[in-house]
Amino acid sequence: MSTFSLKMEIADNRHYNGQQSPLFTIDEAEKARAFHQKVEGYQPTPLHSLDCLAKEIGVGKILIKDEAHRFDLCAFKMLGGAYAIARLLCDEFKLDINAFDFDKLKNDIPEKMTFATATDGNHGRGVAWAANKLGQNAVVYMPKGAADERVNNIRALGAECIVTDMNYDDTVRLAIKTAEENNWKVVQDTAWEGYTEIPTWIMQGYTTMAAEAVDQMKEQQVERPTHVFLQAGVGAMAGGVLGYLCDQYGADKLHSVIVEPDLADCIYRSGISEQGEMVNVEGDLATIMVGLACGEPNPIGWPVLRDCSTQFVSCQDSVAALGMRVLGNPLGTDPRVVSGESGAVGAGMLAAVYYHPEREKLMEKLGLNKDSVVLLVNTEGDTDPVHYREVVWQGKHPTL
């Protein structure tokens, strides 16, 4: 008999207090969504109901917000980058974000601005896309080991893309330094002392997908999720989305689980720290979940996750690979979901619990039962198609 082998560490949040953030409210989310609705080609991404998978695992419902269909970018990240760049331009030219007009602004800007960022792929592509839409310049830095497909996607949007020989966090520092030397605007989804406004806008931009999901759940006659599984890199997406969902439903009515790769689990380590302080992870951060390969928490997102998350999870890459295979090879009438490494880890976590020899104990720890309604977010599609096929076709990162 084959032996199932997957490592997962699940820790209860000892610092939970249910304190909701004033930054990621329903009102702020509606401002961001109103902007996104003006972008040519905007459509809400699908919210799939995986009823056959839910029945197999033993929960009431599994819903997955599928950001692989966000415009033509195969990932959610443009929601933050585009909104932040628009807010920056409005500040620069004294415009009202509520009256933002892409074509008018593009024609009226007297001199091109340059936006710089560091990325593992999807965020940089979103920034390059927004800059291109607005007739501006973008310079994107990527850490060592960046996939050719991700580099080429950024360059295809007219941006300069530079691959460094550093890890993600050091690449961020290089992008900041170079931007300061050249008087460029930094559009980064993490914060530091003196740099909080732009990452806050980025996180508020991410709330659009959560607001869409809430409306879609109502359309599907789902009152609310009991659980939400959110993946974290620096914690910007997780913080923004969780902040909004807590404002919508109340932190005490949502069992929220933050999932990370064990090679870059700065949020998990922060969550188990004695005082709830941010803890950094150093080294190469060599996980297949490249969108989550971040070693330093976002200081805007961390307070939301510290105060409102129920649990933190650190897991092997094989959990994400399992999720990619489960979503790409659905049960019964469930829709097929093409999910990249960082997008699939929430579904992989559910599947890993189902296959685990201590399934019942883990289900109880996570508060999962036949009445649970679990919300997942597929943050990306196959943004690295070569690796996607290696995992899904060739069985890379097996669980047996």
Side-chain angles (χ1 to χ4, degrees):
M1 182 176 178
S2 297
T3 301
F4 182 75
S5 175
L6 265 185
K7 178 188 170 190
M8 297 180 294
E9 300 290 342
I10 303 173
D12 294 332
N13 180 9
R14 62 169 76 177
H15 309 292
Y16 173 91
N17 60 29
Q19 181 68 45
Q20 292 166 216
S21 170
L23 298 175
F24 309 110
T25 61
I26 295 169
D27 287 345
E28 288 296 341
E30 287 309 314
K31 287 181 192 175
R33 179 154 60 157
F35 163 76
H36 291 129
Q37 288 170 337
K38 296 176 185 176
V39 180
E40 183 181 357
Y42 167 82
Q43 289 289 335
T45 54
L47 181 72
H48 301 299
S49 185
L50 306 180
D51 296 338
C52 297
L53 181 62
K55 183 178 179 181
E56 182 78 8
I57 287 175
V59 297
K61 206 163 191 64
I62 297 173
L63 300 165
I64 185 164
K65 182 69 169 160
D66 190 1
E67 291 297 303
H69 298 277
R70 183 64 67 184
F71 293 97
D72 57 350
L73 297 178
C74 207
F76 79 102
K77 284 283 191 169
M78 67 72 53
L79 293 172
Y83 187 57
I85 286 176
R87 294 289 300 257
L88 265 170
L89 290 170
C90 285
D91 272 12
E92 186 78 13
F93 298 103
K94 312 304 179 197
L95 302 171
D96 179 3
I97 187 65
N98 297 310
F100 192 89
D101 185 299
F102 269 83
D103 292 332
K104 185 176 187 304
L105 189 63
K106 185 175 180 178
N107 294 330
D108 290 353
I109 292 175
E111 186 175 341
K112 285 187 176 184
M113 296 174 67
T114 297
F115 301 99
T117 193
T119 183
D120 286 308
N122 295 337
H123 171 68
R125 191 177 181 187
V127 168
W129 180 88
N132 181 271
K133 282 277 186 183
L134 289 160
Q136 307 302 297
N137 299 321
V139 180
V140 179
Y141 292 84
M142 299 188 73
K144 61 182 176 182
D148 290 343
E149 183 83 10
R150 294 188 170 107
V151 173
N152 293 336
N153 284 336
I154 290 168
R155 289 175 177 163
L157 291 165
E160 183 179 358
C161 185
I162 300 161
V163 180
T164 73
D165 60 356
M166 309 170 186
N167 68 16
Y168 172 80
D169 298 296
D170 288 335
T171 299
V172 171
R173 283 183 269 275
L174 176 64
I176 295 165
K177 178 176 179 292
T178 310
E180 288 174 348
E181 291 170 352
N182 290 279
N183 199 29
W184 299 337
K185 294 286 187 182
V186 177
V187 182
Q188 201 62 46
D189 60 351
T190 193
W192 52 87
E193 188 175 350
Y195 185 80
T196 58
E197 191 171 49
I198 291 170
T200 298
W201 288 336
I202 290 173
M203 292 172 67
Q204 289 169 340
Y206 295 159
T207 63
T208 287
M209 61 181 171
E212 290 175 358
V214 167
D215 287 350
Q216 290 165 322
M217 281 187 278
K218 291 175 183 175
E219 292 167 5
Q220 296 181 26
Q221 299 184 319
V222 175
E223 181 182 355
R224 65 177 181 86
T226 61
H227 291 67
V228 60
F229 285 30
L230 296 169
Q231 53 272 61
V234 296
M237 183 281 289
V241 169
L242 182 59
Y244 170 83
L245 292 175
C246 288
D247 195 44
Q248 182 74 233
Y249 302 116
D252 60 332
K253 293 182 172 61
L254 194 64
H255 190 121
S256 49
V257 182
I258 310 303
V259 188
E260 291 175 287
D262 59 359
L263 296 176
D265 56 357
C266 57
I267 301 296
Y268 173 87
R269 296 194 199 190
S270 301
I272 63 174
S273 65
E274 193 66 34
Q275 302 299 325
E277 69 272 14
M278 293 188 296
V279 176
N280 295 342
V281 176
E282 298 178 348
D284 287 344
L285 314 175
T287 170
I288 64 167
M289 294 173 260
V290 294
L292 311 180
C294 311
E296 300 177 14
N298 180 332
I300 300 171
W302 169 240
V304 181
L305 303 179
R306 178 197 62 208
D307 294 346
C308 296
S309 299
T310 309
Q311 288 163 320
F312 302 103
V313 175
S314 172
C315 65
Q316 287 179 307
D317 282 351
S318 299
V319 173
L322 176 61
M324 293 165 70
R325 290 190 278 268
V326 167
L327 292 172
N329 300 274
L331 284 172
T333 57
D334 284 356
R336 177 175 180 248
V337 178
V338 176
S339 181
E341 302 84 353
S342 300
V345 69
M349 177 75 188
L350 278 177
V353 168
Y354 172 73
Y355 283 114
H356 202 280
E358 296 185 354
R359 179 197 311 173
E360 291 182 7
K361 181 180 176 182
L362 291 175
M363 291 281 283
E364 182 179 356
K365 186 172 182 64
L366 292 163
L368 293 169
N369 56 47
K370 61 181 178 57
D371 298 317
S372 299
V373 177
V374 184
L375 176 62
L376 308 173
V377 181
N378 175 29
T379 49
E380 64 174 3
D382 56 344
T383 52
D384 183 355
V386 173
H387 191 259
Y388 180 85
R389 287 193 296 273
E390 288 175 350
V391 172
V392 177
W393 287 16
Q394 300 172 37
K396 191 175 182 181
H397 301 286
T399 55
L400 293 177

